Amino acid sequence: MQWALLAIVVIALFLLSGRYPKLAFGIFAALVVVVAGVVFLGQDDAAIRKAQIGPENVTVENTAGMPAYGGAYRLTGRIKNNHASVELKEVVLSIVMQDCDDTGCQSVGQTDEQVNLRIPAGQARDFSVTVYLGEPAISGTIGWDFTVTKTRS
């Protein structure tokens, strides 16, 4: 699409330059200045967009799970963006349901959930997701394990 627009502008300037060369040169110079400004000013935004927050810069705290409707579970907690300068927009959590007793915990269900939150650098936000992991037989108590697998800034 941009190439078609550029071709139309070049053809129009070429046709205009026959009768009004000063006007065509002025329009061309203005276009060069605008494009140069967009390129140079857009570099900062591109650098910010390319700066990624790794999962190691995100922590999940104060997690809890409670039964919800139809065998599902409502999971809540707080996601903290530990990066110094980049806003966090999305986190993918690997959530593991565990059956825990005196001997340890055994995984009985797992899902990945996408959480969309805008979390500025150095701040935290509460989250809540509802997940359905089937109806596993639990002999002990239910435990939860949250791991950040992907992020988007």
Side-chain angles (χ1 to χ4, degrees):
M1 179 67 185
Q2 292 90 356
W3 290 106
L5 182 61
L6 180 63
I8 291 170
V9 169
V10 168
I11 291 170
L13 286 175
F14 180 72
L15 294 174
L16 187 64
S17 68
R19 289 194 176 165
Y20 306 103
K22 290 182 181 179
L23 178 63
F25 180 74
I27 292 172
F28 177 73
L31 287 174
V32 168
V33 169
V34 167
V35 168
V38 168
V39 168
F40 289 122
L41 294 176
Q43 285 180 348
D44 292 336
D45 293 337
I48 290 172
R49 275 188 263 120
K50 287 182 181 178
Q52 293 294 319
I53 299 174
E56 66 278 358
N57 288 326
V58 178
T59 55
V60 181
E61 307 168 333
N62 303 330
T63 58
M66 60 193 83
Y69 182 77
Y73 290 89
R74 181 182 167 116
L75 306 173
T76 59
R78 179 171 286 219
I79 297 174
K80 184 174 182 188
N81 177 1
N82 297 318
H83 198 278
S85 61
V86 180
E87 179 181 63
L88 181 64
K89 295 179 182 171
E90 177 183 299
V91 173
V92 176
L93 295 173
S94 174
I95 302 170
V96 178
M97 180 183 203
Q98 300 173 331
D99 182 7
C100 298
D101 58 18
D102 295 337
T103 61
C105 295
Q106 181 179 9
S107 297
V108 292
Q110 191 269 335
T111 187
D112 290 336
E113 288 294 319
Q114 179 177 329
V115 180
N116 295 311
L117 292 171
R118 289 193 172 267
I119 307 173
Q123 294 187 20
R125 297 288 185 268
D126 293 334
F127 74 93
S128 175
V129 294
T130 302
V131 297
Y132 180 76
L133 299 168
E135 296 181 17
I138 304 294
S139 60
T141 59
I142 296 175
W144 299 98
D145 181 42
F146 294 81
T147 305
V148 176
T149 57
K150 290 183 186 176
T151 60
R152 184 174 66 89
S153 53

